[in-house]
Amino acid sequence: MRKIEMNEKHFFPQGISSFLQWILNVSLLILALILVVFLAKETYGLVLVLFEQSKEASYLLVEKIVVYFLYFEFLALIVKYFKTDYHFPLRYFLYIGITAMVRLIIVDHSSPINSLLFSGAILLMVIALFLVSSNRLKKS
């Protein structure tokens, strides 16, 4: 009798955990589909910019390429989540953050102070990436 009570006690939290994990997985699949649609739109916009002949088009092209990489990184993060048994590696978030800051520097380079601060943020994320990827952290 005592053993049955223990199994019933653990069933409720395990059931809630499984249900929430299922909701998370479905939500991430929907997000991945939305990202694929936006990636297709960005591809179309990138092709249009490639055929423009102006000075502004070159800046727009670089910006669109960086945004394109952001979509790829988010999709790679979702793929990695499912391949690593429902775990988001921290280094992927750092990759996304670095790419987003590079995009911000490209788009908003009007103020030297802001560019310096954005560069400092990139440096901090690169240091964090080094620390996360170091062997000392992998051993623990």
Side-chain angles (χ1 to χ4, degrees):
M1 185 73 180
R2 178 93 173 132
K3 194 172 192 174
I4 293 173
E5 289 175 10
M6 284 296 277
N7 286 339
E8 288 175 1
K9 193 184 252 188
H10 292 288
F11 176 75
F12 184 70
Q14 190 68 26
I16 289 176
S17 176
S18 297
F19 176 70
L20 292 175
Q21 184 69 50
W22 182 83
I23 288 175
L24 178 64
N25 291 344
V26 170
S27 300
L28 280 174
L29 287 174
I30 292 169
L31 179 62
L33 291 173
I34 291 169
L35 286 171
V36 167
V37 168
F38 281 117
L39 185 64
K41 288 173 109 177
E42 197 65 36
T43 302
Y44 178 71
L46 193 60
V47 169
L48 291 178
V49 170
L50 279 174
F51 294 112
E52 281 187 37
Q53 298 292 328
S54 68
K55 186 178 179 182
E56 293 81 24
S58 61
Y59 291 117
L60 189 59
L61 178 65
V62 172
E63 180 187 350
K64 285 197 169 288
I65 288 172
V66 175
V67 169
Y68 204 75
F69 276 113
L70 281 171
Y71 284 122
F72 272 124
E73 288 174 355
F74 277 115
L75 285 171
L77 180 67
I78 293 172
V79 167
K80 194 69 171 172
Y81 171 79
F82 285 111
K83 283 188 174 182
T84 57
D85 295 327
Y86 314 118
H87 173 70
F88 284 117
L90 177 62
R91 60 191 166 98
Y92 278 82
F93 286 108
L94 291 170
Y95 295 147
I96 291 170
I98 291 168
T99 306
M101 293 306 293
V102 167
R103 179 194 172 275
L104 198 55
I105 289 173
I106 291 170
V107 172
D108 181 27
H109 54 274
S110 59
S111 168
I113 300 289
N114 285 346
S115 295
L116 185 64
L117 290 173
F118 297 154
S119 300
I122 292 173
L123 178 63
L124 283 175
M125 285 186 274
V126 168
I127 291 169
L129 187 60
F130 174 74
L131 292 174
V132 167
S133 301
S134 71
N135 287 334
R136 287 179 283 134
L137 194 60
K138 287 182 180 178
K139 289 179 183 177
S140 59

